[in-house]
Amino acid sequence: MDYDIADPSLAELGGRRIEWAGRRMPVLANIRERFEADQPLAGITIGACMHVTTETANLMTVLRAGGAAVTLCASNPLSTQDDVAAALVADGVPVYAVRGEDSETFYRHINAVLDTRPDLVFDDGCDMTTVLHEERADQPVIGGMEETTTGVIRLRAMENEGVLRFPVVAVNDSDTKHLFDNRHGTGQSSLDGILRSANVLFAGRTVVVGGYGDCGLGIANRADGLGAKVIVVESDPVRALSAAMDGHQVMTSHDAAPLGDVFITATGDIHVFRAEHFEAMKDSVILANAGHFDVELDLKALGEMAVGYRELRDNLGEYTLPDGRRILVVAEGRLVNLGAAEGHPADVMDMSFADQALAAEWLTVNGASLDAKVYVLPKELDDQVATLKLESMGCGLEQLTDEQVAYLNSWQHGT
Ligand code: ADE
């Protein structure tokens, strides 16, 4: 078996951590049981470009239980957990991922996975899908799955330009994904990354959050819960209003720059905080990015402004400006939750990856009859995942009486 990982001797550690994550993924375990019995992915080859984490390892196991042959590479150069990669290889899954790999290696790894000629591709950020369009346009694919908001934005742009060449399920757009993973997962794990790298107290600090989509909302609300004063910077009027009515201050990036102690971006856009803001920031502010790509903080400009740079702590770089002010950057401006922590906890990835597994099954059954478009999974599958999660949490789900159902389906009643 061919593979490229950092250190095979880490397999035992990775195996224990994968087991612990698996224990907190009951919905995925339920799907695994059915997949083992029904073999819905028998004969299917899967290429996955995802964060190599304990949760992803559990997803790979479920896909294999369903009959698929799976090969995995990293979807971000800094998110790979090398022990997990080692454990997967020991378990017979070819993995091409090394934490800290350079851009050339990153794309070599994507191509190694695509050399397996996958029928289905799992993507997180759309890089593998882009390679399939730009460099491997002749390679047949039944369909794809996309995990993240940024990837779905890229896919919709491809669909609008008429260049998308196979159907893709926007797993991110399932309610059981974005309402939980993006809000609760990103909210908690982004702060986790800042805590692990910088170990600062949030209570009493001013946290500036760039973007108030599901991810920004989650970050802002968790920072608020830790006692921080939260400022939201948002360009969409409805989202900005929503932030204001959630109790956060809402202002421009210009006005927020001198006030913040911690700045966190989650917009999907470039240069949210840039030279003009760095000029105005206080000494020892912390910058972190929770968006998929490392473009939200203009680190090139910061590097050009700085007279010094050092690694202050693990995953915490310190830039010194000519006037002596220092600006700290977590995980080189890459995804803070995966670069400086372990990503979202298994409890929430349980639903995201249940959606992924069901999407693979759905595409296997329906792929041939679909157009080259971006699809969202049917609502029944969302409801199935939510119901299983509720059961695992010991929650009761109210059943409507026949009378109540009839009332909702009628229109004659008024006052
Ligand atoms: N994205 C965010 N958190 C993740 C995790 N724990 N595993 C895989 N992808 C993720």
Side-chain angles (χ1 to χ4, degrees), residues 50-57 75 79 81 124 147-148 177 181 185-186 189 335 337-338 342-346 348-349 353:
M50 307 185 84
H51 302 298
V52 181
T53 65
T54 54
E55 294 75 23
T56 300
S75 59
S79 62
Q81 298 171 6
D124 187 331
E147 166 78 4
T148 200
K177 199 282 184 182
D181 171 312
T186 308
S189 63
L335 263 179
N337 59 344
L338 284 142
E342 293 169 71
H344 306 348
V348 77
M349 293 312 293
F353 285 171

Tab-separated table of all heavy atoms in Angstrom, residues 50-57 75 79 81 124 147-148 177 181 185-186 189 335 337-338 342-346 348-349 353, ligand 1:
chain	number	residue	atom	x	y	z
A	50	MET	N	-9.860	15.880	3.258
A	50	MET	CA	-10.512	16.378	4.472
A	50	MET	C	-9.473	16.606	5.560
A	50	MET	O	-8.349	16.125	5.442
A	50	MET	CB	-11.549	15.354	4.961
A	50	MET	CG	-12.544	14.955	3.880
A	50	MET	SD	-13.825	13.881	4.483
A	50	MET	CE	-14.965	15.079	5.159
A	51	HIS	N	-9.859	17.306	6.611
A	51	HIS	CA	-8.941	17.456	7.744
A	51	HIS	C	-8.716	16.076	8.352
A	51	HIS	O	-9.687	15.346	8.627
A	51	HIS	CB	-9.539	18.408	8.786
A	51	HIS	CG	-9.845	19.771	8.237
A	51	HIS	ND1	-8.866	20.600	7.729
A	51	HIS	CD2	-11.018	20.442	8.096
A	51	HIS	CE1	-9.416	21.732	7.313
A	51	HIS	NE2	-10.720	21.658	7.516
A	52	VAL	N	-7.457	15.715	8.530
A	52	VAL	CA	-7.151	14.365	9.018
A	52	VAL	C	-7.198	14.391	10.552
A	52	VAL	O	-6.204	14.664	11.227
A	52	VAL	CB	-5.792	13.890	8.470
A	52	VAL	CG1	-5.491	12.482	8.965
A	52	VAL	CG2	-5.808	13.925	6.944
A	53	THR	N	-8.389	14.148	11.077
A	53	THR	CA	-8.641	14.229	12.519
A	53	THR	C	-9.239	12.901	12.995
A	53	THR	O	-9.596	12.040	12.182
A	53	THR	CB	-9.670	15.330	12.820
A	53	THR	OG1	-10.925	14.929	12.228
A	53	THR	CG2	-9.258	16.678	12.252
A	54	THR	N	-9.421	12.804	14.296
A	54	THR	CA	-10.010	11.587	14.866
A	54	THR	C	-11.440	11.382	14.346
A	54	THR	O	-11.882	10.250	14.164
A	54	THR	CB	-10.037	11.671	16.402
A	54	THR	OG1	-10.704	12.872	16.796
A	54	THR	CG2	-8.630	11.675	16.986
A	55	GLU	N	-12.125	12.485	14.110
A	55	GLU	CA	-13.518	12.376	13.639
A	55	GLU	C	-13.550	11.902	12.187
A	55	GLU	O	-14.352	11.047	11.816
A	55	GLU	CB	-14.226	13.737	13.783
A	55	GLU	CG	-14.425	14.201	15.214
A	55	GLU	CD	-13.156	14.709	15.893
A	55	GLU	OE1	-12.209	15.122	15.186
A	55	GLU	OE2	-13.094	14.678	17.134
A	56	THR	N	-12.653	12.464	11.371
A	56	THR	CA	-12.585	12.030	9.974
A	56	THR	C	-12.221	10.547	9.907
A	56	THR	O	-12.741	9.802	9.067
A	56	THR	CB	-11.542	12.876	9.209
A	56	THR	OG1	-11.942	14.247	9.276
A	56	THR	CG2	-11.434	12.460	7.759
A	57	ALA	N	-11.338	10.104	10.802
A	57	ALA	CA	-10.957	8.687	10.820
A	57	ALA	C	-12.193	7.818	11.042
A	57	ALA	O	-12.372	6.776	10.396
A	57	ALA	CB	-9.930	8.437	11.921
A	75	SER	N	-6.996	18.448	3.774
A	75	SER	CA	-7.647	19.581	3.109
A	75	SER	C	-7.053	20.904	3.580
A	75	SER	O	-7.523	21.963	3.166
A	75	SER	CB	-9.148	19.563	3.384
A	75	SER	OG	-9.394	19.631	4.761
A	79	SER	N	-3.701	21.146	9.344
A	79	SER	CA	-4.735	20.545	10.200
A	79	SER	C	-4.525	19.055	10.455
A	79	SER	O	-5.253	18.449	11.243
A	79	SER	CB	-6.122	20.759	9.574
A	79	SER	OG	-6.210	20.116	8.318
A	81	GLN	N	-3.557	15.640	11.927
A	81	GLN	CA	-3.108	15.056	13.187
A	81	GLN	C	-2.292	13.822	12.810
A	81	GLN	O	-2.835	12.811	12.350
A	81	GLN	CB	-4.326	14.741	14.065
A	81	GLN	CG	-5.105	16.024	14.416
A	81	GLN	CD	-6.435	15.804	15.099
A	81	GLN	OE1	-6.806	14.682	15.445
A	81	GLN	NE2	-7.173	16.888	15.293
A	124	ASP	N	-13.268	19.339	1.296
A	124	ASP	CA	-13.480	20.316	2.360
A	124	ASP	C	-12.721	21.574	1.958
A	124	ASP	O	-11.546	21.727	2.275
A	124	ASP	CB	-12.980	19.752	3.693
A	124	ASP	CG	-13.331	20.643	4.872
A	124	ASP	OD1	-13.444	21.862	4.679
A	124	ASP	OD2	-13.484	20.118	5.985
A	147	GLU	N	-17.910	19.846	2.275
A	147	GLU	CA	-18.129	19.962	3.716
A	147	GLU	C	-18.328	21.396	4.209
A	147	GLU	O	-19.028	21.630	5.182
A	147	GLU	CB	-16.906	19.319	4.404
A	147	GLU	CG	-16.725	19.582	5.886
A	147	GLU	CD	-17.631	18.746	6.773
A	147	GLU	OE1	-18.363	17.882	6.244
A	147	GLU	OE2	-17.622	18.978	7.990
A	148	THR	N	-17.695	22.369	3.528
A	148	THR	CA	-17.618	23.667	4.197
A	148	THR	C	-18.208	24.820	3.381
A	148	THR	O	-18.352	24.732	2.160
A	148	THR	CB	-16.140	23.958	4.591
A	148	THR	OG1	-16.108	24.933	5.609
A	148	THR	CG2	-15.319	24.454	3.415
A	177	LYS	N	-25.928	20.080	9.644
A	177	LYS	CA	-24.512	20.426	9.557
A	177	LYS	C	-24.329	21.876	10.023
A	177	LYS	O	-23.824	22.139	11.097
A	177	LYS	CB	-23.998	20.208	8.121
A	177	LYS	CG	-22.476	20.097	8.038
A	177	LYS	CD	-21.778	21.420	8.121
A	177	LYS	CE	-20.293	21.353	7.944
A	177	LYS	NZ	-19.677	22.679	8.082
A	181	ASP	N	-22.516	22.318	13.541
A	181	ASP	CA	-21.064	22.302	13.313
A	181	ASP	C	-20.540	23.734	13.228
A	181	ASP	O	-19.617	24.134	13.954
A	181	ASP	CB	-20.841	21.512	12.022
A	181	ASP	CG	-19.442	21.535	11.465
A	181	ASP	OD1	-18.852	22.613	11.359
A	181	ASP	OD2	-18.937	20.464	11.089
A	185	GLY	N	-19.689	24.086	16.851
A	185	GLY	CA	-18.351	23.537	16.629
A	185	GLY	C	-17.331	24.647	16.466
A	185	GLY	O	-16.361	24.745	17.221
A	186	THR	N	-17.551	25.529	15.494
A	186	THR	CA	-16.588	26.619	15.264
A	186	THR	C	-16.534	27.548	16.466
A	186	THR	O	-15.455	28.017	16.849
A	186	THR	CB	-16.961	27.429	14.003
A	186	THR	OG1	-17.127	26.520	12.918
A	186	THR	CG2	-15.889	28.438	13.650
A	189	SER	N	-14.492	25.551	19.188
A	189	SER	CA	-13.128	25.114	18.846
A	189	SER	C	-12.222	26.286	18.447
A	189	SER	O	-11.001	26.203	18.611
A	189	SER	CB	-13.167	24.049	17.739
A	189	SER	OG	-13.705	24.566	16.547
A	335	LEU	N	-6.675	28.187	9.694
A	335	LEU	CA	-7.810	27.752	10.515
A	335	LEU	C	-7.424	27.555	11.985
A	335	LEU	O	-6.769	26.552	12.322
A	335	LEU	CB	-8.257	26.407	9.976
A	335	LEU	CG	-9.406	26.338	9.019
A	335	LEU	CD1	-9.650	24.906	8.590
A	335	LEU	CD2	-10.642	26.918	9.661
A	337	ASN	N	-8.946	26.694	14.683
A	337	ASN	CA	-9.443	25.560	15.480
A	337	ASN	C	-8.710	24.263	15.165
A	337	ASN	O	-8.530	23.412	16.028
A	337	ASN	CB	-10.960	25.388	15.296
A	337	ASN	CG	-11.356	25.153	13.870
A	337	ASN	OD1	-10.578	25.404	12.952
A	337	ASN	ND2	-12.565	24.678	13.651
A	338	LEU	N	-8.266	24.136	13.928
A	338	LEU	CA	-7.546	22.913	13.552
A	338	LEU	C	-6.038	23.112	13.612
A	338	LEU	O	-5.296	22.155	13.829
A	338	LEU	CB	-7.991	22.452	12.160
A	338	LEU	CG	-9.370	21.784	12.205
A	338	LEU	CD1	-10.202	22.141	11.001
A	338	LEU	CD2	-9.249	20.282	12.348
A	342	GLU	N	-7.879	20.898	18.185
A	342	GLU	CA	-8.158	19.636	17.492
A	342	GLU	C	-9.378	19.697	16.587
A	342	GLU	O	-9.935	18.663	16.223
A	342	GLU	CB	-8.355	18.526	18.538
A	342	GLU	CG	-7.096	18.207	19.295
A	342	GLU	CD	-7.377	17.302	20.482
A	342	GLU	OE1	-7.682	16.117	20.283
A	342	GLU	OE2	-7.313	17.804	21.615
A	343	GLY	N	-9.827	20.907	16.255
A	343	GLY	CA	-11.027	21.025	15.428
A	343	GLY	C	-12.263	20.857	16.296
A	343	GLY	O	-12.191	20.835	17.526
A	344	HIS	N	-13.411	20.740	15.633
A	344	HIS	CA	-14.659	20.612	16.387
A	344	HIS	C	-14.673	19.281	17.135
A	344	HIS	O	-14.208	18.261	16.605
A	344	HIS	CB	-15.878	20.593	15.456
A	344	HIS	CG	-15.974	21.750	14.519
A	344	HIS	ND1	-15.196	22.875	14.623
A	344	HIS	CD2	-16.785	21.939	13.449
A	344	HIS	CE1	-15.528	23.714	13.659
A	344	HIS	NE2	-16.475	23.170	12.934
A	345	PRO	N	-15.261	19.272	18.303
A	345	PRO	CA	-15.384	18.013	19.039
A	345	PRO	C	-16.230	16.987	18.287
A	345	PRO	O	-17.099	17.328	17.480
A	345	PRO	CB	-16.075	18.429	20.339
A	345	PRO	CG	-15.813	19.887	20.475
A	345	PRO	CD	-15.766	20.422	19.068
A	346	ALA	N	-15.969	15.724	18.615
A	346	ALA	CA	-16.643	14.614	17.934
A	346	ALA	C	-18.166	14.714	18.044
A	346	ALA	O	-18.890	14.360	17.107
A	346	ALA	CB	-16.166	13.287	18.534
A	348	VAL	N	-20.191	17.018	17.769
A	348	VAL	CA	-20.872	17.783	16.716
A	348	VAL	C	-20.490	17.263	15.326
A	348	VAL	O	-21.323	17.250	14.408
A	348	VAL	CB	-20.623	19.303	16.888
A	348	VAL	CG1	-19.252	19.714	16.416
A	348	VAL	CG2	-21.663	20.117	16.143
A	349	MET	N	-19.246	16.772	15.181
A	349	MET	CA	-18.857	16.189	13.888
A	349	MET	C	-19.694	14.941	13.608
A	349	MET	O	-19.824	14.510	12.457
A	349	MET	CB	-17.367	15.840	13.857
A	349	MET	CG	-16.426	17.034	13.910
A	349	MET	SD	-16.815	18.375	12.776
A	349	MET	CE	-16.502	17.616	11.192
A	353	PHE	N	-20.719	14.328	9.834
A	353	PHE	CA	-20.209	13.159	9.119
A	353	PHE	C	-21.287	12.097	8.886
A	353	PHE	O	-21.176	11.285	7.968
A	353	PHE	CB	-18.975	12.613	9.834
A	353	PHE	CG	-17.748	13.491	9.606
A	353	PHE	CD1	-16.574	13.284	10.305
A	353	PHE	CD2	-17.773	14.527	8.667
A	353	PHE	CE1	-15.450	14.085	10.079
A	353	PHE	CE2	-16.668	15.336	8.433
A	353	PHE	CZ	-15.498	15.114	9.143
B	1	ADE	N1	-13.647	20.613	10.619
B	1	ADE	C1	-13.751	21.225	11.807
B	1	ADE	N2	-13.500	20.374	12.814
B	1	ADE	C2	-13.215	19.185	12.250
B	1	ADE	C3	-12.873	17.922	12.774
B	1	ADE	N3	-12.779	17.708	14.087
B	1	ADE	N4	-12.668	16.934	11.901
B	1	ADE	C4	-12.770	17.154	10.575
B	1	ADE	N5	-13.086	18.311	10.033
B	1	ADE	C5	-13.312	19.331	10.862
